[in-house]
Amino acid sequence: MEFKAADSLAEQIAGDLAGRIIRRQLMPGERIRELHVAQTLNVSRGAVREALLILERQHLVDIQVNRGAQVSELSAEHVQGLFVLLLELYVLLGDAAAKWKSEA
């Protein structure tokens, strides 16, 4: 059996911000101010900064030196790629659930 640690605070913040970006509560080109996010979520700026780095690796935000982070433009190709990735994750989840059921 494999155990996975709970998501870190930065991962939880990244998930929250990613959800806002996907639901278009944060619009493409909009700046994400670390201090505002930290105060709103009652977390440290360091955790927010780490979350923004996670989102940059996921291509959801662009971080520019001395300018901060801003929401990336989501092209149709990007959204399609995310959909394909999500579909593949569901297939893996289904495989794992089938194995788990057969082991029980």
Side-chain angles (χ1 to χ4, degrees):
M1 177 175 278
E2 214 174 294
F3 293 99
K4 183 180 182 247
D7 288 344
S8 71
L9 178 59
E11 290 168 331
Q12 292 175 48
I13 296 167
D16 178 69
L17 291 172
R20 292 183 196 186
I21 292 168
I22 291 167
R23 289 188 304 274
R24 308 214 22 111
Q25 294 170 337
L26 293 172
M27 299 302 291
E30 184 175 342
R31 286 192 60 211
I32 300 175
R33 297 186 337 251
E34 286 179 15
L35 182 59
H36 176 72
V37 173
Q39 289 173 340
T40 301
L41 299 178
N42 197 27
V43 295
S44 71
R45 286 183 73 180
V48 173
R49 193 171 300 120
E50 189 177 339
L52 291 172
L53 291 172
I54 292 169
L55 293 174
E56 183 179 41
R57 286 192 300 270
Q58 296 172 347
H59 306 285
L60 292 174
V61 300
D62 296 315
I63 299 176
Q64 298 175 354
V65 178
N66 297 327
R67 301 220 40 203
Q70 62 184 149
V71 178
S72 298
E73 295 284 337
L74 292 177
S75 66
E77 293 82 21
H78 189 200
V79 172
Q80 184 177 9
L82 291 173
F83 178 76
V84 169
L85 177 62
L86 181 62
L87 187 60
E88 290 176 11
L89 289 173
Y90 279 132
V91 169
L92 290 173
L93 178 62
D95 287 346
K99 287 177 186 174
W100 174 74
K101 185 172 180 157
S102 67
E103 290 176 2

